[in-house]
Amino acid sequence: MDTAPQPTHHDLGGNPKYRCTAVEPENPALNDFDKRVDALRVVLREKGLITTDEQRLKIESLPPEEYFGLSYYEKWLKAMAAVLVSRGIVSWEDVS
């Protein structure tokens, strides 16, 4: 009996569809939205309102259509909102 956990949609390691390509030596420039989301993450973390592990869990819990449809920082923002909602700090209505 195989008890190894089955990979979920965010676990792309070894999937030939998502083979890595050469990494550019320089990171792409962040746009204003990306910078704001990153700044928000820093503030929320420093105030003890979110943790990296909570944010990662919420990102990995996104349905496949959102996981593959959102940009990197859109995933971060959605995950941060989900953490704040789960902690009862805000509601989804507040976020909308």
Side-chain angles (χ1 to χ4, degrees):
M1 178 178 196
D2 185 10
T3 59
Q6 295 299 310
T8 59
H9 61 273
H10 71 276
D11 187 5
L12 304 176
N15 186 330
K17 181 178 178 182
Y18 299 102
R19 293 233 186 254
C20 293
T21 57
V23 176
E24 295 298 323
E26 294 185 27
N27 291 328
L30 300 178
N31 62 38
D32 288 342
F33 173 80
D34 299 344
K35 292 175 185 176
R36 287 184 182 126
V37 171
D38 187 49
L40 179 60
R41 181 192 56 82
V42 169
V43 170
L44 292 173
R45 191 182 62 206
E46 287 185 3
K47 292 195 172 283
L49 297 174
I50 65 168
T51 67
T52 300
D53 291 335
E54 287 174 308
Q55 184 178 352
R56 182 181 307 115
L57 177 63
K58 296 298 185 185
I59 290 171
E60 292 174 353
S61 299
L62 289 170
E65 61 277 359
E66 287 187 72
Y67 187 84
F68 293 110
L70 296 173
S71 73
Y72 184 78
Y73 285 98
E74 287 171 332
K75 290 176 197 172
W76 276 27
L77 186 59
K78 181 102 181 196
M80 289 187 288
V83 170
L84 296 176
V85 169
S86 70
R87 286 184 168 215
I89 297 169
V90 297
S91 69
W92 280 116
E93 291 77 29
D94 296 329
V95 175
S96 299

